[in-house]
Amino acid sequence: MVNRSVLSVMLLASCVFTVGAADNQLSEKEKAEGWQLLFDGQDLSQWRNFKRDTLSDKWQAKDGVLQLSGAGGGDILTKKTYENFELQVDWKISAGGNSGIFVLVDETGNAIYSHAPEIQILDDARHSDNKIDSHRSGSLYDLLAAPVSAQKPAENWNHVVIRLEQGHLQVWQNDVVTTSIVIGSSSWNTLMAASKFANWDGFAKQHSGHIGLQDHGDPVYFKNIKIKEL
């Protein structure tokens, strides 16, 4: 005969494991809250290459993961633009690799990064960009450095939350706050003046834009990409 307290624990554990959704799916709670998938594990129809209508076949859906198989796939972006939103992404970088997640992407510049702030993806131990702390994973690239506690070794999955509301940009990586700043504020302008973007006309000036993923020449992997407009 099973002890009642043991049975209660077993039932509670069962509930815990059934509440969350599987990879690339939304829970009933998330659906009710207005979350939308940007990748369901197979369908790439919401993505295209920067300044193109099509998507390179080097960006592939394989085993439930959106992955860049090698250099030459080009940077990609969502077909839709977003202004106020919360974005969640799981990412994994290859050994020695580099990539990034962009927000507020437009296509008036020469490159995806011309006007778009980037959340860095990096193998912090091996890639040469690790010499600058604001270039390590989870950082607001060249502006704000992520704490070391937010970073995991390459080939491990990382969870990133990016929230942009009325110009307030917040980022969490692996449940650690890495960024909280208002775009265009005096604090932002001070950071900009000391960064590589100081003389980049139009950088982060747009109020809405695409979500972008970077081809930096290294294999990189994404899943559970979902967004909620605020």
Side-chain angles (χ1 to χ4, degrees):
M1 183 175 179
V2 179
N3 182 281
R4 286 188 177 182
S5 60
V6 174
L7 181 59
S8 297
V9 171
M10 292 171 64
L11 289 172
L12 178 59
S14 175
C15 290
V16 169
F17 285 112
T18 57
V19 167
D23 278 350
N24 307 308
Q25 295 182 28
L26 297 175
S27 67
E28 292 304 316
K29 182 175 183 291
E30 288 173 322
K31 291 176 184 177
E33 291 173 344
W35 287 91
Q36 299 289 323
L37 287 175
L38 295 178
F39 174 64
D40 67 359
Q42 299 179 343
D43 182 14
L44 300 177
S45 64
Q46 297 191 70
W47 298 87
R48 61 177 175 83
N49 277 99
F50 179 72
K51 292 195 175 184
R52 295 183 180 274
D53 295 326
T54 56
L55 183 68
S56 167
D57 60 9
K58 291 193 174 182
W59 285 96
Q60 304 169 352
K62 186 176 180 181
D63 298 327
V65 174
L66 170 57
Q67 62 182 62
L68 175 63
S69 60
D75 302 319
I76 65 172
L77 47 75
T78 55
K79 292 180 179 178
K80 186 175 177 180
T81 59
Y82 301 91
E83 183 173 359
N84 298 305
F85 62 86
E86 184 173 318
L87 173 73
Q88 295 194 25
V89 183
D90 290 346
W91 65 264
K92 180 171 66 173
I93 190 65
S94 55
N98 187 337
S99 184
I101 303 168
F102 297 98
V103 297
L104 297 177
V105 176
D106 67 21
E107 295 178 279
T108 61
N110 294 326
I112 197 170
Y113 51 77
S114 294
H115 301 148
E118 176 188 359
I119 308 307
Q120 176 75 313
I121 290 174
L122 196 76
D123 177 351
D124 296 310
R126 299 178 183 88
H127 197 280
S128 60
D129 222 12
N130 64 6
K131 296 178 179 63
I132 302 174
D133 58 3
S134 62
H135 290 191
R136 297 173 189 156
S137 74
S139 299
L140 179 60
Y141 181 78
D142 212 55
L143 292 167
L144 284 171
V148 173
S149 58
Q151 299 160 354
K152 292 184 180 181
E155 302 180 314
N156 283 273
W157 284 107
N158 296 263
H159 181 66
V160 169
V161 178
I162 302 170
R163 184 181 178 92
L164 180 64
E165 187 172 17
Q166 303 300 322
H168 185 192
L169 178 62
Q170 297 172 281
V171 182
W172 296 260
Q173 181 167 278
N174 301 319
D175 298 323
V176 177
V177 176
T178 67
T179 294
S180 181
I181 194 163
V182 176
I183 296 173
S185 66
S186 59
S187 297
W188 172 270
N189 293 337
T190 299
L191 291 172
M192 282 284 291
S195 76
K196 66 189 295 181
F197 309 116
N199 297 312
W200 288 32
D201 290 338
F203 187 83
K205 296 296 186 182
Q206 58 279 21
H207 296 293
S208 65
H210 306 270
I211 307 299
L213 302 176
Q214 186 178 42
D215 172 6
H216 206 284
D218 306 307
V220 62
Y221 310 87
F222 301 94
K223 64 179 181 178
N224 298 322
I225 311 172
K226 53 192 172 185
I227 196 165
K228 178 175 67 172
E229 296 187 73
L230 303 175

